[in-house]
Amino acid sequence: MNYLKWTLPVLIIASIAAYLWQGGDPASDVAAMPNSLDQSPSNSSARKFSAAKVKENAGNASMVAERLLQEANKIDVSNTDLPSSLRGTEVDGGFRVDDEGNLIVEIGIKRYFDYFMATVGEESLAEITARIHRSISTQLQEPARSQALAILQDYLSYKTALYELEQQYGEFNPMSFSESQIPQLTERLDAMFNARRAHMSDSVVEAFFAEEEAIDRYTLERLTVMHNSGLSEAEKANKMAQLEQMLPEHVREQRAEATQYQRYAAEEARLKNNNASPAEIHQLRAQEFGEEGAARLAALDEKRAAWDQRLQQYRAEKQQLEKSGLSEQDLGPQINELRARHFSEVEIRRVKALDRIADS
């Protein structure tokens, strides 16, 4: 079983959602490309994963999760280093309890699980599960401890079922999207929603996925409207506005802010391309974000310029070291010393990442 994909949620429409979030049409220039899903009626029927089918397969996924926990109990991770991708990072999410010691079910729990599960490939699933299990056991007292472990087992069951769904439906390529795939997207999304409810309680599903599911439903409806040839452009715009109300309020606010910033960024780029003066740039920023916002953006410009200057100086000196003929054994400490002269400890982690990208 390819567990690398198993760790990542199969967000059936997520890639399209990201595309649409910026107003794009994933089918606009790829209509001639082959669809990633076989659209023959026989194959579509064979792929169909109804709620009953999901329930029928739930037992197998639960057994896999139970075996993972049993295997994890045999692994001692107390003295082992974190995977390299997690070193220097802050743990995302966590656990909270109420006044009676019960676990508060919230999305922070899911983020905590996913933080560790993202390291599949560096560690085995059993080792990852052991890390989460140990964290729960050391951080929480009863009854919260047992409640968190039960949610972990249910989440592992769901992730296993999600992998099986991916095998059932195959890979999805948003760049080959066409209108004919909307029914299949609907089917896939329903299957994923059903799998969640087959393996986790309603309260956990609500806490973990309420916002995500609202966005997925919105995206699917938006695709349906966009590709409805029976609607005029005005009718589509009206329906799009109505669909916005499907989104949580804070998501609508984020979208509005993103649209405002995109509009501002395009206008600022136009002004700079036309050699606008600093006063003209400030005026645009003040109109969009107020005087305080304009001042913060100016300060950010200065900070970025100073960073760029330090980074360029570092890279020039690093290049000289690399050309100096030093052995690999001597070069590493010299570069580390160079980084320490130019950057803070926090900045060094960023510089190392930039160096890895530049060297790849």
Side-chain angles (χ1 to χ4, degrees):
M1 183 180 288
N2 183 352
Y3 282 110
L4 183 59
K5 292 181 180 178
W6 178 92
T7 63
L8 303 175
V10 184
L11 301 180
I12 303 305
I13 312 180
S15 48
I16 292 182
Y19 212 98
L20 293 178
W21 216 244
Q22 301 178 0
D25 180 350
S28 59
D29 59 352
V30 292
M33 296 177 65
N35 290 326
S36 60
L37 296 177
D38 186 332
Q39 297 174 26
S40 66
S42 59
N43 282 346
S44 178
S45 175
R47 270 196 306 268
K48 189 168 184 179
F49 247 64
S50 63
K53 183 67 172 176
V54 168
K55 186 175 181 180
E56 177 185 329
N57 286 274
N60 292 333
S62 297
M63 288 176 60
V64 171
E66 186 175 351
R67 287 199 299 270
L68 267 176
L69 284 169
Q70 291 172 351
E71 187 175 348
N73 284 333
K74 304 173 184 176
I75 301 174
D76 182 8
V77 294
S78 58
N79 296 316
T80 60
D81 292 333
L82 284 171
S84 59
S85 63
L86 296 186
R87 294 171 199 165
T89 66
E90 293 185 8
V91 178
D92 192 16
F95 308 98
R96 295 193 303 145
V97 299
D98 63 19
D99 293 339
E100 297 179 352
N102 291 302
L103 184 70
I104 297 174
V105 180
E106 56 189 356
I107 196 170
I109 299 172
K110 176 181 180 294
R111 292 204 306 267
Y112 192 87
F113 292 165
D114 289 343
Y115 172 81
F116 289 99
M117 289 181 181
T119 63
V120 163
E122 295 179 79
E123 291 192 312
S124 69
L125 281 175
E127 289 171 320
I128 292 168
T129 303
R131 288 193 184 281
I132 301 173
H133 192 297
R134 180 176 182 275
S135 296
I136 291 172
S137 298
T138 55
Q139 292 181 40
L140 299 175
Q141 303 295 322
E142 294 296 344
R145 178 189 294 137
S146 294
Q147 293 163 352
L149 290 174
I151 292 176
L152 172 60
Q153 181 166 344
D154 289 347
Y155 194 58
L156 290 169
S157 297
Y158 162 65
K159 291 293 236 179
T160 302
L162 204 58
Y163 173 83
E164 297 302 332
L165 283 177
E166 182 173 316
Q167 301 309 297
Q168 183 78 0
Y169 285 101
E171 298 273 346
F172 180 76
N173 180 5
M175 296 308 296
S176 64
F177 176 80
S178 68
E179 181 180 0
S180 62
Q181 290 176 282
I182 290 178
Q184 294 169 352
L185 282 174
T186 304
E187 181 183 308
R188 290 168 65 121
L189 195 63
D190 286 343
M192 185 169 64
F193 288 0
N194 288 334
R196 289 169 181 166
R197 287 155 180 82
H199 293 279
M200 294 177 285
S201 69
D202 290 343
S203 61
V204 173
V205 172
E206 176 69 18
F208 283 17
F209 299 106
E211 182 175 311
E212 182 180 305
E213 290 189 355
I215 293 173
D216 282 347
R217 290 190 183 97
Y218 161 82
T219 305
L220 182 60
E221 291 296 328
R222 194 172 189 270
L223 280 169
T224 302
V225 171
M226 287 173 60
H227 291 276
N228 189 338
S229 58
L231 296 176
S232 66
E233 291 303 314
E235 289 171 328
K236 287 182 180 181
N238 182 52
K239 286 187 176 293
M240 294 291 193
Q242 294 176 12
L243 288 176
E244 289 285 327
Q245 302 310 308
M246 295 176 59
L247 295 170
E249 183 177 356
H250 74 278
V251 175
R252 295 199 301 270
E253 291 173 354
Q254 289 171 358
R255 282 172 55 78
E257 291 172 359
T259 300
Q260 179 189 12
Y261 185 80
Q262 288 170 3
R263 184 175 62 249
Y264 148 74
E267 180 60 16
E268 182 180 282
R270 186 189 68 80
L271 288 175
K272 288 181 176 179
N273 288 337
N274 291 329
N275 299 316
S277 67
E280 289 174 309
I281 298 295
H282 177 84
Q283 182 181 7
L284 170 66
R285 291 172 170 178
Q287 288 174 348
E288 290 289 340
F289 308 110
E291 286 294 337
E292 289 186 6
R296 286 196 296 270
L297 286 171
L300 182 60
D301 284 346
E302 293 179 3
K303 187 175 181 180
R304 285 173 175 167
W307 165 264
D308 288 342
Q309 184 176 6
R310 283 192 294 142
L311 186 62
Q312 289 173 10
Q313 179 65 29
Y314 157 75
R315 283 178 169 170
E317 294 179 28
K318 178 174 178 284
Q319 189 175 43
Q320 289 178 350
L321 281 174
E322 291 170 339
K323 292 180 178 180
S324 65
L326 290 170
S327 66
E328 287 293 329
Q329 184 177 358
D330 294 332
L331 180 62
Q334 290 288 332
I335 291 178
N336 288 337
E337 183 180 336
L338 178 64
R339 288 171 180 152
R341 288 204 307 269
H342 284 283
F343 305 105
S344 69
E345 187 174 337
V346 173
E347 290 173 333
I348 286 174
R349 290 199 291 269
R350 180 182 177 191
V351 171
K352 286 181 177 179
L354 291 172
D355 284 348
R356 284 195 296 271
I357 294 171
D359 293 340
S360 62

